[in-house]
Amino acid sequence: MGIIERIKEIEAEMARTQKNKATEYHLGQLKAKIAKLRTQLLEPPKGSSGGGDGFEVTKFGHGRVALIGFPSVGKSTLLTMLTGTHSEAASYEFTTLTCIPGIIHYNDTKIQLLDLPGIIEGASEGKGRGRQVIAVAKSSDLVLMVLDASKSEGHRQILTKELEAVGLRLNKRPPQIYFKKKKTGGISFNSTLPLTHVDEKLCYQILHEYKIHNAEVCSLVLFREDATVDDLIDVIEGNRKYIKCVYVYNKIDVIGIDDVDKLARQPNSVVISCNLKLNLDRLLSKMWEEMGLVRVYTKPQGQQPDFSDPVVLSADRGGCSVEDFCNHIHRSLIKDVKYVLVWGSSARHYPQHCGLGHSLQDEDVVQIVKKKEKEEGGRGRFKSHTTGPARISDREKKAPLKT
């Protein structure tokens, strides 16, 4: 029996099992088994050379956005309108067969937009080159899930299910669970507040399913969030990717205004029409907001700031502190920094003397003040050494005085 058949068999068993207090331990073990099998499904076959038939493209710009959706929902048309890059669009499905990159120039930044082939139900199992598409999506900073506004809402649920099956978590934060393997000592379970979904016995059974018998599991639930069984399995697997997603509903020109209003009020959603070029500026601003890019302008000492070429930082790509700003310019700059002067929304007064730990915000101006090189041996008459020869015999003898 193959891995896909085993997954379907376990899913059928979970569907038959009633959900109550007596079966929650059994369901937890079944979820752990499915997670292990899905991880094995993503691994390359044994004996392979490692080079796959993917269509990954080189990263370019300050951020990467991937277009994901069913065939013929308007992904290629959206790429052409936002970037100017030609991507073939036709009335039949699977017009795009490879990854087509484009560049969006927005707010003095360059954002790479990838047009990926349409995925279908069962993409997580390899249908329709679904694994290659999802692999590219994992390397993106933001996912634009393009949906047809005239179709049913089930398309969004199918795509979300396919992405979650391969370890992509959309619009979620990593669970606040501390997990560490140990060589000896057994399993120690601890929590900072009462848990309603996971108890000590269920945690032991899931760890034994992974053949882990010595570990320290401490559930640190912050913001009063309660960890579930799926969160615990995600932490044990350790290969989950938490990424932001914006749901883009295209073709709103073929539905009523009430349906458009209903779709626009959903969280993380934007309604557009590529045919009539409606609401594309709102889509760009939503992308900018979700990516969280921070533009920092440099100011040379005694000169005006340079607003033509900003340094673009991001919390997902290194951080937004002064230290990250210096490392972005050059790695060796940190040791020469004495302090920095900051103008902008992150400063309390203009200018503010800041250290390396100061957090920068969008459109801040930064001037770096370097340490002055110290002269060895003091200055003036306090010099501890002279430039003349060390021995008296080597000194230049003065000419005798004329009498």
Side-chain angles (χ1 to χ4, degrees):
M1 184 181 296
I3 297 178
I4 298 177
E5 289 77 11
R6 290 166 63 187
I7 291 176
K8 291 182 178 179
E9 183 181 354
I10 296 175
E11 288 178 345
E13 183 179 354
M14 291 178 63
R16 294 193 305 265
T17 306
Q18 296 182 354
K19 296 181 180 180
N20 51 48
K21 197 71 175 177
T23 61
E24 64 178 4
Y25 301 110
H26 179 59
L27 290 174
Q29 283 185 316
L30 294 180
K31 288 181 180 180
K33 289 181 180 179
I34 288 181
K36 286 178 59 180
L37 292 174
R38 292 194 186 279
T39 303
Q40 296 176 12
L41 195 63
L42 295 176
E43 293 176 353
K46 294 183 179 179
S48 63
S49 59
D53 55 347
F55 36 72
E56 175 66 286
V57 295
T58 306
K59 280 192 174 183
F60 179 81
H62 305 109
R64 168 179 278 195
V65 180
L67 295 173
I68 287 185
F70 281 97
S72 297
V73 293
K75 299 188 298 296
S76 300
T77 307
L78 182 61
L79 174 79
T80 303
M81 299 187 69
L82 293 180
T83 66
T85 303
H86 175 70
S87 180
E88 185 179 355
S91 58
Y92 54 88
E93 295 184 349
F94 295 104
T95 309
T96 304
L97 299 177
T98 185
C99 179
I100 300 177
I103 301 298
I104 301 175
H105 297 271
Y106 187 73
N107 285 346
D108 297 330
T109 62
K110 298 176 182 178
I111 302 174
Q112 187 180 43
L113 186 64
L114 303 180
D115 179 19
L116 300 174
I119 62 178
I120 57 177
E121 190 172 1
S124 59
E125 301 170 359
K127 294 182 180 179
R129 301 192 73 181
R131 293 184 189 174
Q132 291 90 332
V133 173
I134 296 173
V136 176
K138 277 189 173 183
S139 65
S140 304
D141 302 313
L142 178 68
V143 169
L144 292 184
M145 187 181 293
V146 185
L147 303 166
D148 193 340
S150 61
K151 300 294 180 63
S152 63
E153 188 66 20
H155 284 190
R156 173 175 170 175
Q157 299 175 358
I158 293 173
L159 288 174
T160 303
K161 181 180 178 182
E162 294 295 331
L163 294 177
E164 288 188 349
V166 294
L168 272 175
R169 299 293 179 261
L170 303 179
N171 297 325
K172 292 182 180 179
R173 292 183 178 182
Q176 301 295 324
I177 299 176
Y178 170 73
F179 173 74
K180 180 182 178 182
K181 290 184 180 181
K182 298 187 300 183
K183 295 183 179 179
T184 58
I187 299 175
S188 60
F189 180 87
N190 189 19
S191 62
T192 58
L193 52 83
L195 302 177
T196 59
H197 302 287
V198 182
D199 58 2
E200 191 170 356
K201 180 181 177 182
L202 179 57
C203 178
Y204 286 178
Q205 290 185 350
I206 293 175
L207 289 174
H208 288 165
E209 186 67 34
Y210 283 91
K211 298 181 181 180
I212 298 175
H213 306 287
N214 297 297
E216 178 182 359
V217 181
C218 181
S219 179
L220 302 176
V221 186
L222 301 179
F223 307 105
R224 298 181 181 178
E225 294 179 356
D226 200 358
T228 62
V229 178
D230 297 325
D231 294 335
L232 178 60
I233 294 175
D234 289 346
V235 172
I236 296 174
E237 285 285 345
N239 58 356
R240 303 304 190 227
K241 172 77 174 185
Y242 297 87
I243 190 170
K244 296 179 181 179
C245 177
V246 176
Y247 304 98
V248 182
Y249 290 92
N250 191 20
K251 304 180 183 180
I252 61 173
D253 51 322
V254 299
I255 61 175
I257 188 62
D258 295 335
D259 297 331
V260 173
D261 183 69
K262 181 180 177 182
L263 293 175
R265 293 181 183 276
Q266 295 183 3
N268 302 313
S269 300
V270 178
V271 292
I272 65 168
S273 173
C274 293
N275 185 26
L276 301 179
K277 300 181 180 180
L278 297 177
N279 213 26
L280 295 179
D281 52 348
R282 170 59 184 159
L283 175 60
L284 290 174
S285 63
K286 184 66 175 178
M287 289 171 48
W288 177 267
E289 177 185 346
E290 293 295 331
M291 295 183 71
L293 298 179
V294 175
R295 295 165 294 173
V296 181
Y297 300 98
T298 57
K299 180 185 179 302
Q301 196 165 0
Q303 301 179 23
Q304 293 295 324
D306 181 13
F307 292 108
S308 60
D309 188 15
V311 177
V312 181
L313 306 175
S314 173
D316 298 330
R317 291 192 176 191
C320 300
S321 65
V322 173
E323 182 177 0
D324 303 321
F325 169 75
C326 296
N327 289 330
H328 194 279
I329 297 176
H330 200 278
R331 289 288 181 181
S332 62
L333 185 60
I334 283 283
K335 59 183 180 181
D336 298 330
V337 174
K338 184 177 182 181
Y339 61 88
V340 296
L341 299 175
V342 179
W343 293 262
S345 55
S346 67
R348 297 180 181 177
H349 48 82
Y350 300 151
Q352 179 180 350
H353 288 239
C354 301
L356 297 177
H358 179 74
S359 181
L360 299 172
Q361 297 182 11
D362 191 27
E363 294 187 318
D364 279 357
V365 177
V366 175
Q367 174 184 328
I368 298 177
V369 179
K370 292 185 176 181
K371 300 175 183 177
K372 293 184 178 179
E373 297 182 0
K374 295 182 179 180
E375 296 184 9
E376 297 182 358
R379 299 176 61 185
R381 61 191 182 94
F382 298 101
K383 285 185 177 181
S384 59
H385 66 282
T386 59
T387 57
R391 297 188 302 174
I392 298 177
S393 59
D394 295 337
R395 293 179 183 174
E396 183 181 355
K397 296 182 179 179
K398 295 181 180 180
L401 294 174
K402 293 182 180 181
T403 55

